[in-house]
Amino acid sequence: MKKSQISSSVVFLLVLCLSFCNSWANLSSLVDVTPGTENFMSCIQPKSNNVTSFSQLIFTPVNASFIPIWQVAVQNTRFLKPSTPKPSIIVTPVDETLVQKALFCAKKHGYEIRIRSGGHDYEGLSYTADVPFVMLDFTNMRSIDVDVANRTAWVQPGAVLGELYYSISQKTDTLYFPAGVCPTVGVGGYMGGGGYGNLLRKYGTAADNVLDVRFMDVNGNILDRKSMGKDLFWAIRGGGASSFGIVLAWKLRLVPVPEKVTVFILNKTLEEGATKNFHKYQYVAPTIDRNLHIRTQVFAEYIGNTTKKTIRIMFEGIYQGTRDTLLPLLDEKFPELGVRREICEEIRSIQSTVVFWGLPSSTPIEILTNRSAIAKLNNKSKSDYVRTPIPIRGLRKIWRKLMQNDGSALLMINPFGGRMADYSESAIPYPHRAGVLLQILKTVNFNGQTSDTTPTSLKRIMWLRSLDELLTPYVSKNPREAYSNYNDLDLGVGSSNYEEASLWGERYWKRDNFQKLIRIKAKVDPNNFFRRPQSILFSNTSLYMRHHFLEKGSN
């Protein structure tokens, strides 16, 4: 793998740090705080005299650059507030050796570890904690090595999806990677939760297309797919890799795409038949040709300058082929949608990512590598899976609920089916497979509010929870499924026994997968060092014995 490169923005922060800490001795003399911090800094200090460059990679709250480094990758701005608990130490490694040493010193001196790649963490768990913790920020480990001949790419965890897509596009227009449309999502955490995007109906989840890995276990051993064994390799692809160790790089399978894909965007309001269109969409979108993916976004909005509201549904399509093939397909399967030739645009796959992020196709693709150019989020979200089409009367209830919102709400809906139904729900921990028609992301934003705790913000959160309750009859049951990458602490954080943990664990992974994840966790991290709210864990002897018995009984 090519040596990791440090971005210009990070270099700026490092130079800024130098003005405050010219040597390791100066840095150590500034460290106040707790004896534990001093001990960690002494532990991680290199034996050589060349400590100046090393000190540019480790930061405590006394460094002027500590807060800028912490907040630069906080992608959900509702956590950018003084009350958010922050790390005791930030380590920004440039190589695996420093990762290994940070792990050793954190264990030795009683710190937990949080691992941040891109920072698209819906509950901020990768960079906040109520206990003393070391944050491993992988911003300096983001190299991408694309091998067109073998259709693979090695990607370090600090790279983001936009950088991955851009790197592929610089070598070929006929390969891509089946991942999400948000450019600033970090590769490290994304694969660990499964990962879906516009190619899921044709190629499955991102984690389905992981071929190998470089992985550091709790003892600092660096493993690959062969040396870690099939169980651990299974667990980290969709079961939350940070529960088991530290991913250092993913080897990805690149998938074939045409030189040009066809995209279209079409809006429908209630007055234009949106309800009937969406009702049929539930039957068509999951079963149509796997080359076609149609995402929908649902909003409530005012009609012109009146006080009357309507629902607008945005149908966003991407087809792996030309418009000459797409249009007859839609005319046959979904003529009511009314897609016309003039709204179809044939563009490169890399441009389609720009379009699905909400920008014109003419936007320079280099924006995908500019993390600061992509707008951050400011929201609270929940997820659901639909296995039975929602009837017209149910849709009308949902529309009425949306119209009661103050304009802060959005539903984003992706169809499943196709390749997703080819995998068993235990192929990897990600279980939402055959029978799933749609995935729904429900979100409210806090735009215009100073925090997520203002009266208006709290009202929005309560509205979201009431929408969640209203949807209960129309979404999956036993368990009601949720997507682990859209982590939601409303589901619970308890883990003192299986009954507590199952409230969230079985929703993310279903029972069999969740129990298997717990058994694997007990083997590879028996002291539960890698932990955070809603991580796979073993917290007491009775839970261990229960699943030890289950495992023995299954052999």
Side-chain angles (χ1 to χ4, degrees):
M1 181 178 294
K2 295 179 181 177
K3 198 170 183 179
S4 173
Q5 299 294 314
I6 302 176
S7 70
S8 58
S9 60
V10 174
V11 169
F12 170 77
L13 292 175
L14 299 182
V15 171
L16 178 63
C17 175
L18 276 174
S19 67
F20 292 94
C21 44
N22 294 320
S23 70
W24 184 267
N26 290 340
L27 178 63
S28 298
S29 68
L30 289 173
V31 173
D32 154 45
V33 295
T34 65
T37 303
E38 285 188 359
N39 291 338
F40 180 91
M41 302 297 267
S42 298
C43 173
I44 203 168
Q45 180 178 350
K47 302 301 182 184
S48 68
N49 294 323
N50 184 21
V51 293
T52 299
S53 60
F54 190 80
S55 68
Q56 298 171 30
L57 306 176
I58 302 176
F59 307 90
T60 67
V62 299
N63 302 130
S65 48
F66 176 86
I67 291 298
I69 288 173
W70 176 79
Q71 69 184 15
V72 70
V74 174
Q75 294 295 336
N76 195 337
T77 60
R78 73 182 172 104
F79 296 108
L80 290 177
K81 53 189 178 185
S83 60
T84 299
K86 299 172 180 63
S88 303
I89 301 135
I90 299 174
V91 179
T92 59
V94 294
D95 57 34
E96 296 173 353
T97 301
L98 185 52
V99 177
Q100 196 173 44
K101 192 140 194 182
L103 170 62
F104 170 78
C105 294
K107 289 172 60 181
K108 181 177 180 181
H109 296 290
Y111 288 98
E112 292 188 10
I113 274 184
R114 298 292 186 269
I115 302 165
R116 183 170 77 176
S117 50
H120 266 270
D121 185 338
Y122 277 32
E123 296 285 8
L125 302 180
S126 61
Y127 48 82
T128 70
D130 291 324
V131 297
F133 73 103
V134 174
M135 185 179 81
L136 277 178
D137 187 333
F138 278 110
T139 187
N140 293 337
M141 290 181 65
R142 53 205 277 194
S143 73
I144 300 168
D145 190 358
V146 176
D147 183 343
V148 173
N150 290 305
R151 295 185 176 184
T152 62
W154 273 105
V155 187
Q156 287 187 314
V160 293
L161 295 181
E163 293 167 341
L164 171 59
Y165 299 147
Y166 181 81
S167 296
I168 296 170
S169 74
Q170 296 307 289
K171 294 193 173 184
T172 177
D173 281 330
T174 58
L175 293 174
Y176 217 56
F177 186 70
V181 299
C182 184
T184 48
V185 169
V187 168
Y190 179 79
M191 305 296 169
Y196 75 95
N198 287 341
L199 287 168
L200 90 163
R201 300 189 64 253
K202 189 173 179 67
Y203 294 115
T205 70
D208 292 323
N209 292 280
V210 170
L211 298 173
D212 207 340
V213 67
R214 285 185 64 80
F215 183 84
M216 186 175 294
D217 70 11
V218 70
N219 298 313
N221 301 311
I222 296 178
L223 310 172
D224 61 10
R225 177 176 183 170
K226 182 178 180 180
S227 60
M228 70 171 48
K230 64 179 183 179
D231 280 351
L232 182 54
F233 187 63
W234 177 87
I236 64 176
R237 293 173 298 141
S242 62
S243 291
F244 302 93
I246 304 169
V247 174
L248 302 168
W250 297 99
K251 185 180 182 181
L252 309 178
R253 176 195 295 115
L254 304 184
V255 299
V257 294
E259 289 188 1
K260 293 290 181 69
V261 299
T262 302
V263 298
F264 65 85
I265 298 176
L266 181 66
N267 288 279
K268 295 276 189 174
T269 64
L270 294 184
E271 296 71 24
E272 296 167 330
T275 302
K276 288 185 177 179
N277 285 153
F278 188 86
H279 185 254
K280 183 166 183 179
Y281 165 82
Q282 298 175 97
Y283 293 88
V284 173
T287 60
I288 203 167
D289 188 325
R290 297 182 182 195
N291 287 302
L292 177 60
H293 183 84
I294 306 176
R295 182 178 78 174
T296 54
Q297 297 189 55
V298 186
F299 316 80
E301 62 183 19
Y302 289 102
I303 301 175
N305 294 321
T306 72
T307 57
K308 183 180 179 182
K309 282 187 175 180
T310 188
I311 294 295
R312 176 165 60 92
I313 302 179
M314 181 187 300
F315 295 85
E316 301 172 286
I318 176 169
Y319 178 68
Q320 302 298 308
T322 67
R323 74 189 97 189
D324 289 337
T325 308
L326 169 65
L327 291 171
L329 174 65
L330 286 172
D331 286 344
E332 177 189 356
K333 301 292 186 180
F334 202 178
E336 300 88 345
L337 191 57
V339 175
R340 306 177 309 278
R341 175 174 288 270
E342 54 266 31
I343 69 169
C344 296
E345 186 178 11
E346 294 180 0
I347 55 179
R348 301 161 63 200
S349 288
I350 186 75
Q351 292 173 285
S352 75
T353 298
V354 173
V355 169
F356 268 72
W357 185 241
L359 299 172
S361 61
S362 58
T363 305
I365 61 173
E366 286 73 19
I367 194 172
L368 299 177
T369 68
N370 186 347
R371 302 185 188 202
S372 62
I374 305 297
K376 294 190 175 188
L377 307 174
N378 183 16
N379 61 18
K380 167 67 179 177
S381 300
K382 294 178 173 292
S383 60
D384 263 311
Y385 291 86
V386 174
R387 290 179 173 268
T388 303
I390 302 172
I392 293 285
R393 66 182 180 277
L395 293 176
R396 287 174 177 157
K397 287 182 181 179
I398 296 168
W399 304 161
R400 286 195 293 270
K401 187 67 178 178
L402 281 169
M403 287 192 232
Q404 294 169 8
N405 181 263
D406 62 1
S408 63
L410 164 69
L411 302 183
M412 186 172 291
I413 302 166
N414 279 275
F416 275 40
R419 181 64 173 149
M420 292 294 284
D422 294 342
Y423 290 94
S424 79
E425 62 183 33
S426 60
I428 62 173
Y430 181 94
H432 318 293
R433 303 289 194 166
V436 172
L437 302 177
L438 308 171
Q439 182 196 65
I440 304 178
L441 172 65
K442 306 159 289 183
T443 186
V444 290
N445 67 61
F446 304 112
N447 297 343
Q449 300 301 301
T450 55
S451 76
D452 60 349
T453 58
T454 67
T456 296
S457 294
L458 294 175
K459 184 177 179 181
R460 291 175 182 177
I461 293 172
M462 290 304 296
W463 178 90
L464 179 63
R465 289 170 179 162
S466 66
L467 172 67
D468 199 54
E469 183 177 352
L470 183 148
L471 284 171
T472 302
Y474 309 114
V475 298
S476 58
K477 300 172 180 64
N478 303 316
R480 182 173 179 173
E481 300 166 70
Y483 178 37
S484 65
N485 267 356
Y486 295 154
N487 51 11
D488 177 10
L489 296 186
D490 286 355
L491 303 183
V493 296
S495 55
S496 61
N497 56 63
Y498 186 83
E499 284 66 33
E500 282 187 356
S502 66
L503 294 177
W504 47 269
E506 291 187 6
R507 290 186 66 165
Y508 290 148
W509 297 292
K510 291 197 172 181
R511 177 171 296 180
D512 288 349
N513 286 358
F514 187 43
Q515 292 182 349
K516 183 175 178 180
L517 288 168
I518 291 174
R519 294 195 296 268
I520 295 168
K521 171 74 170 182
K523 290 180 179 179
V524 302
D525 184 18
N527 295 317
N528 193 30
F529 175 74
F530 291 110
R531 63 186 183 271
R532 57 172 176 75
Q534 293 188 348
S535 63
I536 307 298
L537 52 88
F538 254 54
S539 57
N540 62 33
T541 303
S542 62
L543 186 59
Y544 175 83
M545 292 305 295
R546 171 180 177 173
H547 289 282
H548 183 63
F549 175 80
L550 285 173
E551 181 183 29
K552 289 185 70 174
S554 67
N555 289 335

